[in-house]
Amino acid sequence: QVQLVESGGGLVQPGGSLRLSCTASGFTLADYTVGWFRQAPGKGREGVGSISRWDENTYFGDALREDAVRGRLTISRDSAKNAVYLQMNSLKPEDTGVYYCAADRELDWNWWNQDEYDYWGQGTQVTVSS
């Protein structure tokens, strides 16, 4: 059975950290570009970032690229565990939302094309609040 499962979400205070996991079953995640997306309450789903299947480069959405440069966001892959991770530090209330991972065999620098992804997880809730 082909499945993507996100985990690691929860309630965290501002300034805290979370590591979200995206684990695949039924296929080899290392053969796929994996994107992370989030949906805040009342808003559309936006791209957070991705890790390429071709060269392991990571990309981030325009609004979050500066955060990645500062080390607030990191995306990594553990092929032995068939998983991809989104590490988030210095969390802010505006990071609240449902976080999804998605996988596709063809996408690379064009990872933001949500309609192109082959598989999606069910999402994990992240709430940043004091």
Side-chain angles (χ1 to χ4, degrees):
Q1 181 182 3
V2 172
Q3 196 174 15
L4 272 180
V5 178
E6 303 94 338
S7 61
L11 174 63
V12 62
Q13 292 187 342
S17 297
L18 282 176
R19 188 179 79 156
L20 305 185
S21 300
C22 173
T23 304
S25 58
F27 66 103
T28 302
L29 199 55
D31 293 337
Y32 289 73
T33 286
V34 175
W36 283 97
F37 299 86
R38 68 184 183 185
Q39 187 164 20
K43 296 186 178 181
R45 193 163 57 191
E46 67 167 345
V48 175
S50 72
I51 185 164
S52 171
R53 66 160 288 195
W54 306 104
D55 52 15
E56 297 291 280
N57 277 349
T58 55
Y59 301 90
F60 293 89
D62 290 344
L64 296 169
R65 194 166 297 125
E66 188 67 26
D67 288 329
V69 171
R70 294 177 179 175
R72 197 173 82 83
L73 299 175
T74 306
I75 297 175
S76 61
R77 187 192 297 272
D78 187 336
S79 297
K81 295 184 178 181
N82 214 28
V84 166
Y85 305 101
L86 173 63
Q87 176 71 42
M88 302 188 291
N89 303 319
S90 303
L91 283 161
K92 309 170 186 177
E94 50 264 44
D95 293 316
T96 294
V98 179
Y99 283 70
Y100 301 88
C101 66
D104 187 82
R105 289 182 66 93
E106 303 298 328
L107 292 175
D108 184 17
W109 56 268
N110 52 346
W111 62 275
W112 62 80
N113 287 322
Q114 296 186 38
D115 292 342
E116 299 297 318
Y117 279 88
D118 294 330
Y119 306 118
W120 285 85
Q122 82 292 347
T124 185
Q125 176 70 45
V126 171
T127 302
V128 184
S129 175
S130 55

